[in-house]
Amino acid sequence: MKFTLGAIALALAAPAAFAQSSVTIYGIVDLDGQYLSGHAKQVLVTSGGQSGSRLGFKGTEDLGSGYFADFVLEGGINVDTGGSAQGGQLFGRQAFGALRTPFGTASAGRQYSSIYTQSGDFSEFTNAPTGPTTAVIGGFAGKYEPIRGSANDATTSTKTGSELNGSPARVNNSFRYTTPSFSGFKASILAGAGEVTGGTTGTRLFDYSLRYTGFGLDAMLSYVDDKAANGTSVLNSRTKVGITTLSAAYTIDAFKVEGGFMNVNDKRPADLDGKGYWLGGDYKFGQHVIRAQWVENKPNKNNTSLGKTNAYGVGYEFDFSKRTNLYTSLTRFQNGASADGTFVGRVGGSVPAGLTTATDRSVNEFVLGVRHSF
């Protein structure tokens, strides 16, 4: 009997003996100064010029046999004011748990969509608020902005579709399955539940994506099918906003070229469609990186062109170490959108209001910042 009890005790203790777990605290402190010159001039101190400042916790536990339990809790920080980003949410950047297996990964919570991934991984100035940034791609659809999101604040009863889900960039109440890699190919499907009584099928979001990595090429194609509201009530009629995004990057030695295309098909009565493009590249030598990028937006309303907005920029980065770098950029925004376009007064999406007029819409932006990761 003693032997049997001892064997049972050893069996119960065995998982703790071979299971390995770890929790990592990480973050980014990114602070920059900006000088903007257009119809008016402005000097700013802002947070997240190169990448969003944040504080995060991530952990993993080896469950054995190729199974792992993971989690990420990550909140954005406005270092210039000390406040929380993403509308004040504690973990507004990401918050999810995941199970990794030999058959793929299942995860649930607040997660990045494929739009956020593409505008970040395939862009020289990513979806940060400075430079010729891809954060503006898709912003022509009124308050519905695929990259930054129209509802980064807490969920309320008047939000629907992507707004209820957080935004098309970060999706609340979501479940994702990602396949293992097959010869460089990996597919993913994400579903965001609106969680509205009586509106189950009218407040959901689906995100389908396929990515290939190999031989110096990294390419991704995705489609987001989002039910968005036509009115203020969650039970009003709803129509689909469809977002198709294609991006790619090719690296050879110290050179990289990358670009992408996004098409927003807005089937709501406002019909704020549009297309966006970007093309950029960088060259790395020693501790130095030189970047350049062009971004163009072509908003449409009721199948009528509203003109276009262009941004051209160059940037330089000096890496003091693996964790700390100095960065600077010079960008020229040219806004040709007509007066009823949403880009008037916000050329490039990140430019503060008041720097442009109906006839004087071009803005120059100079940025100098420091980024430290830990």
Side-chain angles (χ1 to χ4, degrees):
M1 179 64 70
K2 290 182 179 180
F3 176 80
T4 304
L5 291 175
I8 294 174
L10 287 173
L12 292 174
F18 68 75
Q20 296 182 3
S21 62
S22 64
V23 176
T24 302
I25 300 175
Y26 66 95
I28 294 175
V29 177
D30 185 324
L31 203 61
D32 67 275
Q34 299 180 31
Y35 174 74
L36 298 137
S37 176
H39 177 75
K41 295 178 174 58
Q42 191 167 13
V43 176
L44 301 172
V45 175
T46 64
S47 176
Q50 188 175 57
S51 55
S53 298
R54 69 199 70 175
L55 177 64
F57 306 85
K58 59 183 177 182
T60 184
E61 181 178 12
D62 187 345
L63 304 177
S65 302
Y67 288 77
F68 298 85
D70 304 323
F71 77 87
V72 172
L73 299 172
E74 183 178 288
I77 302 173
N78 295 322
V79 180
D80 53 333
T81 64
S84 295
Q86 288 81 49
Q89 296 182 89
L90 179 60
F91 296 114
R93 292 189 60 88
Q94 301 181 86
F96 65 86
L99 179 64
R100 282 186 290 139
T101 78
F103 311 101
T105 301
S107 56
R110 177 174 170 87
Q111 306 177 79
Y112 289 143
S113 77
S114 61
I115 297 174
Y116 188 95
T117 300
Q118 293 200 67
S119 63
D121 290 1
F122 299 90
S123 170
E124 289 298 319
F125 292 88
T126 68
N127 40 45
T130 61
T133 168
T134 47
V136 302
I137 301 290
F140 29 71
K143 297 180 67 176
Y144 183 95
E145 298 185 46
I147 306 305
R148 296 199 173 180
S150 58
N152 281 321
D153 56 348
T155 300
T156 69
S157 61
T158 59
K159 292 184 174 66
T160 62
S162 67
E163 293 183 335
L164 188 65
N165 284 318
S167 78
R170 296 182 177 94
V171 185
N172 291 339
N173 313 313
S174 65
F175 173 83
R176 168 182 276 135
Y177 169 71
T178 304
T179 69
S181 179
F182 297 101
S183 301
F185 287 94
K186 184 177 291 187
S188 176
I189 179 171
L190 178 146
E195 299 188 349
V196 175
T197 301
T200 302
T201 60
T203 57
R204 76 342 176 234
L205 180 149
F206 292 129
D207 181 352
Y208 313 91
S209 63
L210 177 66
R211 188 167 185 170
Y212 171 78
T213 305
F215 303 100
L217 176 66
D218 190 1
M220 188 171 179
L221 173 66
S222 72
Y223 179 72
V224 173
D225 180 354
D226 182 19
K227 285 286 189 177
N230 292 328
T232 58
S233 170
V234 296
L235 297 180
N236 281 356
S237 61
R238 289 165 291 272
T239 51
K240 182 177 68 176
V241 176
I243 309 164
T244 303
T245 311
L246 173 65
S247 54
Y250 184 74
T251 303
I252 179 169
D253 296 328
F255 291 92
K256 181 172 72 172
V257 61
E258 56 191 348
F261 163 77
M262 181 186 292
N263 180 74
V264 177
N265 183 12
D266 185 1
K267 296 184 179 181
R268 296 171 298 176
D271 194 20
L272 296 171
D273 297 333
K275 296 179 175 64
Y277 312 84
W278 72 93
L279 179 65
D282 63 58
Y283 174 62
K284 299 180 180 180
F285 56 104
Q287 296 172 271
H288 312 272
V289 183
I290 298 175
R291 308 180 188 277
Q293 186 155 282
W294 159 74
V295 176
E296 180 174 278
N297 287 272
K298 292 184 175 182
N300 288 276
K301 185 175 183 179
N302 297 319
N303 297 318
T304 301
S305 174
L306 300 179
K308 61 183 179 181
T309 296
N310 287 286
Y312 311 86
V314 293
Y316 168 74
E317 176 184 324
F318 179 79
D319 296 327
F320 292 104
S321 67
K322 292 183 178 180
R323 295 183 177 274
T324 304
N325 67 274
L326 174 77
Y327 63 90
T328 185
S329 64
L330 180 62
T331 307
R332 171 73 169 176
F333 297 103
Q334 293 179 329
N335 186 8
S338 58
D340 58 348
T342 58
F343 278 85
V344 174
R346 54 189 301 277
V347 189
S350 60
V351 176
L355 297 180
T356 62
T357 67
T359 57
D360 185 5
R361 302 176 185 171
S362 295
V363 174
N364 297 316
E365 176 194 69
F366 173 74
V367 176
L368 179 64
V370 175
R371 176 186 181 274
H372 174 73
S373 61
F374 60 90

